[in-house]
Amino acid sequence: MKKMNVGVVGAGFMGKAHCVALSNMPKLFPDAPYLPVFKTVCDIDPEIAVDFCVRFGFKGFCTDYMDIINDPEIDIVAVCTPNDSHAEIAIAALEAGKHVICEKPMAITVEQSKAMAEAAAKAFEKGKISMCGYQYRRVPAIEEAKKIIDSGAIGQLTNVRAQYLQSWSADPRSPLSWRFVKETAGAGTLGDIFTHALDIAQYLAGDVTELVSMVKTYIKERPVQEGGVDLLGTVKLGDDAKKQAVDVDDEVSILCKYAGGAIGSVEATRMAWGRNNYITIEVHGTKGSITWNYERLNELEVCYGMDDEDGARGFRKIYTGPANPHGDVTWNIPGMNIGYGELKAIEAYDFAKAVEGGYQPTTTFEVGYQISKVCDAILKSDEVHGWVTVE
Ligand code: SOE
């Protein structure tokens, strides 16, 4: 089997997600185009880099990502660092002739996203592939929803509502990590999770063309955690901890128009007690509806409203499995279910197929750039208290 050397920059949560996915990809997909070889892992913290190197069986580690960029043996770079370094690392990797998969949000400014999309277009001319990590659109149930919508079975879309609700930062004792600092994160909930819900909505309904928004920060300062490693609310710090101001948003809501003609809304918060990874989509069409929730990610609910008789009308539940998109990764019997790990493996597989086939996969850097433009329009709309057109 063909081998491809991988360099991973950033050995935190997303570094782990990508490495688990890369190692599972050839095991789950019988036609995986290559066997990823763990060549080098980079983290600015040498202890974390060494630990990761040992646990994942990397051949080596480094603390300067340029060691990965300058290594001619490395074919693929996974960018899994905090948001402020995505642009410089991804562009350097593309210019050095690597294929690049970069975590979301793509960058912290529209200008950076634009530069990344341009670098990706140039690299593609030389056969190099790039992808931004908006994985949730690859959930088999969402791909099935897309098939149903595109087939016309639920008619013309009228309304598309998307939500991403979490609670890990609802407690004011949840420490301030890089995710609460504009300089490193670019934005708060907006870049972190709103963009995922937006990506799914746009995948199904077309790009957002006009919007009006509300952007709120509820917890204005948080205790600072020594070391700064992002622990996603799993520790709480007491009143005696040093505090730092939060300069990003906690919650974002928009009303919007989609290019496909539907209207709708997208909302996200990390302050919804009781919600964990609650991503929902509800799509209404002139002939039927679709609804889905990530917390039950294998289940797609569809109502073929015009086909059901009065008194028998309702949502039918489809347990996605081998007969649905990405059925070759799911276990044999619907209801056995896949989770986050398999989803990231689907992303790694889609990326690998694109590398093999020499085409750009969905969730290109161009998509990441378009999402950045919507985020910019959201901040502008909140500022002017009115509707704005997405550039
Ligand atoms: C934290 O909100 C986070 O880890 C996001 O950064 C991810 O993109 C999301 O998939 C899970 O939650």
Side-chain angles (χ1 to χ4, degrees):
M1 190 174 189
K2 187 176 170 187
K3 292 185 175 165
M4 294 284 260
N5 287 324
V6 180
V8 175
V9 189
F13 170 28
M14 289 324 294
K16 172 178 161 186
H18 279 263
C19 289
V20 170
L22 284 166
S23 111
N24 283 338
M25 189 261 290
K27 298 174 186 119
L28 290 170
F29 289 90
D31 68 335
Y34 52 74
L35 192 69
V37 176
F38 290 144
K39 179 91 198 312
T40 312
V41 59
C42 172
D43 199 279
I44 48 170
D45 182 328
E47 262 179 53
I48 293 178
V50 171
D51 173 63
F52 204 90
C53 174
V54 172
R55 287 191 300 116
F56 282 91
F58 275 85
K59 293 187 177 159
F61 71 93
C62 61
T63 53
D64 178 350
Y65 75 85
M66 283 310 289
D67 292 351
I68 288 181
I69 306 297
N70 291 330
D71 181 346
E73 286 182 11
I74 290 185
D75 306 297
I76 296 167
V77 175
V79 183
C80 306
T81 51
N83 310 341
D84 59 331
S85 53
H86 289 179
E88 73 179 62
I89 301 170
I91 293 172
L94 287 167
E95 287 175 351
K98 321 286 188 201
H99 303 288
V100 176
I101 178 156
C102 178
E103 262 313 311
K104 45 50 59 180
M106 208 161 76
I108 59 170
T109 63
V110 182
E111 292 72 29
Q112 284 185 355
S113 292
K114 180 167 189 262
M116 289 170 82
E118 283 167 3
K122 265 197 206 135
F124 184 58
E125 284 168 19
K126 297 182 187 146
K128 300 302 165 193
I129 304 308
S130 42
M131 185 196 252
C132 186
Y134 286 113
Q135 73 273 1
Y136 294 115
R137 66 156 76 182
R138 299 180 200 282
V139 169
I142 294 291
E143 297 280 20
E144 185 64 41
K146 171 92 175 137
K147 262 175 60 187
I148 294 170
I149 291 167
D150 290 351
S151 75
I154 63 162
Q156 184 68 32
L157 299 194
T158 53
N159 199 302
V160 177
R161 301 179 175 89
Q163 291 180 320
Y164 197 152
L165 314 181
Q166 293 183 330
S167 59
W168 62 267
S169 71
D171 189 329
R173 295 168 306 161
S174 276
L176 181 134
S177 69
W178 63 266
R179 287 182 204 268
F180 297 92
V181 180
K182 190 166 187 215
E183 200 182 350
T184 37
T189 295
L190 176 62
D192 195 23
I193 58 172
F194 180 96
T195 53
H196 280 303
L198 174 70
D199 180 58
I200 300 173
Q202 294 195 134
Y203 183 50
L204 301 179
D207 287 351
V208 167
T209 52
E210 281 175 72
L211 62 89
V212 62
S213 76
M214 280 185 292
V215 180
K216 295 280 277 185
T217 305
Y218 299 112
I219 299 179
K220 309 272 185 207
E221 57 171 23
R222 286 179 184 273
V224 180
Q225 166 209 319
E226 292 305 318
V229 171
D230 171 35
L231 296 171
L232 290 166
T234 50
V235 291
K236 311 276 181 267
L237 297 183
D239 286 343
D240 47 339
K242 195 180 117 207
K243 298 258 171 64
Q244 189 179 316
V246 170
D247 58 358
V248 295
D249 58 277
D250 289 321
E251 186 160 312
V252 181
S253 292
I254 68 167
L255 284 178
C256 58
K257 296 181 189 172
Y258 299 96
I263 60 166
S265 60
V266 186
E267 296 178 80
T269 180
R270 297 186 295 205
M271 307 235 346
W273 285 116
R275 298 299 183 202
N276 297 296
N277 208 50
Y278 193 83
I279 313 171
T280 60
I281 186 99
E282 175 137 335
V283 180
H284 298 163
T286 48
K287 294 201 280 181
S289 296
I290 291 178
T291 180
W292 171 84
N293 168 10
Y294 180 86
E295 289 183 1
R296 303 195 67 87
L297 77 90
N298 296 271
E299 301 167 19
L300 183 70
E301 295 192 65
V302 188
C303 171
Y304 293 106
M306 303 286 271
D307 296 345
D308 288 343
E309 283 177 21
D310 289 349
R313 185 169 297 115
F315 281 97
R316 68 169 75 165
K317 191 176 284 181
I318 300 169
Y319 288 90
T320 54
N324 300 103
H326 300 302
D328 38 359
V329 71
T330 53
W331 306 101
N332 292 350
I333 302 171
M336 292 188 103
N337 296 346
I338 63 162
Y340 187 74
E342 287 100 338
L343 176 59
K344 277 305 234 190
I346 291 174
E347 178 184 73
Y349 172 76
D350 283 352
F351 182 76
K353 288 298 267 188
V355 168
E356 180 196 38
Y359 60 84
Q360 287 288 42
T362 65
T363 69
T364 54
F365 279 16
E366 198 55 43
V367 168
Y369 174 36
Q370 189 273 338
I371 288 176
S372 291
K373 286 196 264 189
V374 177
C375 291
D376 217 37
I378 288 171
L379 295 175
K380 198 176 292 166
S381 162
D382 181 58
E383 209 178 291
V384 301
H385 294 281
W387 281 88
V388 298
T389 301
V390 180
E391 298 269 311

